[in-house]
C-alpha cells in the first residue's frame, strides 16, 4: 500500500504497543486517520462499522483481535470472543476462515499469548503473499490487450491488507511500466469505489475515472471496456460468487456484450462447505446507508446529509450472487481457473 509514497499495510500488528493498528476507512478519502486499540471489543466494532472492511482484510484483522483476546481474556476466548468475532459480519467467508484458524491454534498445546500473535501475523502475511500472486497471474492476463478495466467496490490494498485482489494485477501492470486504465464504479450506497478505490489508484498514479454505477452497461455498449475485474466475499463450491451489490448486474451486462468478467480472490474466500450461491448468507445493512450520505462541507468537516424523501423505507442488501456461468475465470494465488 502506498500512501503519500510511503509503504504501509491497511491493518498490522504494532509490536511496540502490542496491539493492532488500522487505517480508519470511514474517514477516507477526506482524512488519513490511523487507529490503535488493545481492546478486542474495539476491534470487533471496527469491523461492524466498516472502519476495516473488505474480505481478506477483515479476516486478518479478526485474527489480530483474537490474538489480543487470547492474551487479555484467556478464559473467555472460546465461549465469548470467537462467537463475538464470527458475528461481526456474515457474508465474507475470510472472517470465518481466520476465526477457525485462530481457534485451531488456540486449542493446540503450543498456544501462548506470544505464539497467538505470531499466528495472526503469519495469517496476514499469507494473505498478502496470496494477493501478490493473484496480481501476477492477473497482470499476465490483462497484458494481452485487456487494458481498459472496469472495477466495482474496493478490492485493493484497503480491502486486502496490501496489494489487493482485483487491483493487485493493475498495480503490477502499472509498476511494470504498462498503462492500464480503470473505470471506477462509485458503488452505492457506501461509495467504496468513489471514496476508496479512486483514492488508492490516485495514490499509486494509475489512470482512472469515476463513474456512477448505472453508467457501466452503457460504457460496455460503447466498446469502452475491455475487461471487468472484481473481488469476492465468498465463492461457493460450484463457482457462484458473492460480491458487493451491483456485481451481478455487471456480469449480466458483460455477458450481453461479450466482455470477459474476472473474479480475483484468494483461497481464503472459497467456501467448499457452501454448495451454491443461494446458500451464501447475504448481509442486509441499515436503510440509513441508502437515505443518507457523508459529505465534506465547505468548512472541511465531514457531515451526514439526507438524500431521500424523509420517511421513505429503503432496501439495502450489501452483496449479491453472480452465478458461475457468468464468470469468465476466477484468478487465485494458484493460477487462473475457468468454469
Ligand atoms: O462491504 P465491504 O466493503 O466489506 O465489501 C467488500 C467487497 O465486496 C469487496 O469487493 C470484496 O471484499 C473483495 S475484497 C478484496
Amino acid at each position: 500500500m502506498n500512501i503519500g509514497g510511503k509503504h504501509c499495510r491497511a491493518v498490522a500488528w504494532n509490536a511496540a504497543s502490542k496491539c493492532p493498528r488500522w487505517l480508519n476507512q470511514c474517514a477516507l478519502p477526506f482524512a488519513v486517520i490511523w487507529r490503535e486499540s488493545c481492546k478486542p471489543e474495539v476491534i470487533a466494532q471496527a469491523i461492524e462499522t466498516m472502519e476495516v472492511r473488505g474480505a481478506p482484510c477483515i479476516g486478518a484483522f479478526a485474527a489480530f483481535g483474537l490474538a489480543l483476546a487470547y492474551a487479555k481474556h484467556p478464559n473467555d476466548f472460546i465461549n465469548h470472543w470467537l462467537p463475538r468475532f464470527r458475528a461481526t459480519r456474515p457474508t465474507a467467508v475470510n472472517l470465518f476462515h481466520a476465526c477457525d484458524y485462530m481457534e485451531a491454534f488456540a486449542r493446540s498445546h503450543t498456544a501462548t499469548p506470544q505464539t497467538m500473535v505470531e499466528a495472526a501475523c503469519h495469517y496476514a502475511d499469507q494473505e498478502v503473499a496470496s494477493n501478490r500472486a493473484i496480481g501476477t497471474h492477473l497482470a499476465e492476463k490483462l497484458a494481452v490487450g485487456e487494458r481498459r478495466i472496469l472495477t466495482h467496490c474496493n478490492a485493493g490494498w484497503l480491502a486486502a491488507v496490501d496489494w489487493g485482489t482485483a487491483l493487485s494485477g493493475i498495480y503490477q501492470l502499472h509498476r511494470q511500466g504498462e498503462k492500464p486504465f480503470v473505470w471506477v464504479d462509485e458503488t452505492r450506497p457506501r461509495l467504496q469505489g468513489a471514496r476508496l478505490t479512486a483514492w488508492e489508484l490516485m495514490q499509486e498514479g494509475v489512470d482512472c475515472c469515476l463513474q456512477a454505477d448505472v453508467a457501466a452497461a452503457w460504457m460496455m455498449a460503447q466498446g469502452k471496456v475491455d475487461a471487468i475485474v472484481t473481488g469476492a466475499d465468498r465463492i461457493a463450491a460450484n463457482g457462484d460468487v458473492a460480491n458487493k451489490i451491483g456485481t451481478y448486474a455487471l456480469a449480466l451486462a458483460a455477458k450481453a456484450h461479450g466482455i470477459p468478467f474476472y473474479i480475483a480472490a484468494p483461497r481464503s474466500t472459497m467456501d467448499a462447505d457452501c454448495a451454491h450461491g443461494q446458500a451464501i448468507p447475504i448481509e442486509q445493512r441499515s436503510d440509513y446507508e441508502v437515505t443518507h450520505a457523508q459529505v465534506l462541507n465547505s468548512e472541511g468537516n465531514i457531515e451526514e446529509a439526507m438524500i431521500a424523501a424523509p420517511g421513505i423505507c429503503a432496501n439495502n442488501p450489501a452483496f449479491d450472487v453472480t452465478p458461475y456461468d457468468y464468470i469468465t475465470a476466477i484468478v487465485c494465488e494458484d493460477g487462473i481457473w475457468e468454469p
Side-chain angles (χ1 to χ4, degrees):
M1 185 161 122
N2 173 6
I3 301 182
K6 201 170 154 219
H7 180 257
C8 42
R9 287 184 174 184
V11 296
W13 183 265
N14 183 342
S17 56
K18 296 193 172 65
C19 55
R21 178 174 193 260
W22 69 98
L23 182 56
N24 177 0
Q25 299 189 32
C26 293
L28 288 172
F30 310 123
V32 175
I33 297 174
W34 290 97
R35 289 195 63 195
E36 242 182 55
S37 175
C38 286
K39 294 188 177 141
E41 179 56 27
V42 173
I43 306 300
Q45 284 172 14
I47 297 174
E48 285 168 339
T49 57
M50 295 174 61
E51 283 195 19
V52 172
R53 34 75 40 215
C57 207
I58 60 175
F61 196 48
F64 289 141
L66 286 167
L68 204 54
Y70 186 88
K72 303 256 172 194
H73 313 283
N75 297 335
D76 297 331
F77 182 81
I78 298 289
N79 293 329
H80 176 74
W81 290 107
L82 279 166
R84 174 72 186 99
F85 275 90
R86 286 188 173 116
T88 49
R89 293 195 72 189
T91 304
V93 77
N94 310 58
L95 174 74
F96 302 93
H97 185 256
C99 290
D100 292 350
Y101 169 88
M102 292 303 283
E103 177 174 5
F105 203 88
R107 288 183 187 278
S108 75
H109 48 269
T110 51
T112 64
Q114 181 55 28
T115 59
M116 286 289 281
V117 170
E118 286 163 11
C121 291
H122 176 70
Y123 185 90
D125 288 346
Q126 269 194 326
E127 287 298 82
V128 172
S130 297
N131 293 327
R132 191 179 181 143
I134 288 169
T136 305
H137 299 307
L138 202 51
E140 274 172 27
K141 191 91 187 157
L142 300 177
V144 198
E146 293 169 355
R147 299 293 179 75
R148 293 169 305 171
I149 297 139
L150 189 150
T151 193
H152 191 71
C153 194
N154 172 260
W157 311 319
L158 295 164
V161 184
D162 202 354
W163 284 106
T165 54
L167 297 192
S168 176
I170 290 162
Y171 290 136
Q172 292 190 36
L173 266 186
H174 176 73
R175 289 182 188 189
Q176 287 160 18
E178 303 290 342
K179 299 211 176 322
F181 169 81
V182 186
W183 291 112
V184 180
D185 271 8
E186 61 176 351
T187 318
R188 283 276 296 144
R190 284 193 66 113
L191 302 173
Q192 288 94 330
R195 296 183 61 158
L196 307 177
T197 301
W199 180 78
E200 273 197 37
L201 291 168
M202 289 168 79
Q203 291 288 320
E204 183 74 19
V206 175
D207 192 14
C208 58
C209 182
L210 182 66
Q211 65 182 7
D213 300 332
V214 286
W218 180 236
M219 289 303 110
M220 292 184 218
Q222 289 189 299
K224 292 185 175 170
V225 178
D226 297 317
I228 297 166
V229 188
T230 75
D233 289 84
R234 193 183 296 226
I235 303 176
N238 71 341
D240 290 351
V241 170
N243 191 51
K244 182 52 56 194
I245 190 77
T247 305
Y248 175 43
L250 286 177
L252 292 173
K255 192 158 193 147
H257 293 99
I259 295 168
F261 182 89
Y262 301 114
I263 294 289
R267 282 199 166 265
S268 55
T269 305
M270 299 183 186
D271 186 359
D273 295 330
C274 185
H276 49 74
Q278 292 312 312
I280 298 175
I282 299 295
E283 179 177 13
Q284 185 77 20
R285 291 188 65 89
S286 159
D287 56 357
Y288 189 85
E289 293 180 349
V290 179
T291 56
H292 289 71
Q294 270 190 341
V295 295
L296 189 68
N297 68 19
S298 50
E299 280 87 51
N301 299 317
I302 299 172
E303 63 181 38
E304 310 262 328
M306 185 147 196
I307 55 166
I312 186 71
C313 74
N315 177 27
N316 189 14
F319 299 95
D320 58 27
V321 174
T322 300
Y324 65 85
D325 45 355
Y326 287 85
I327 297 166
T328 308
I330 294 177
V331 185
C332 78
E333 57 269 49
D334 304 334
I336 300 179
W337 299 82
E338 288 175 2

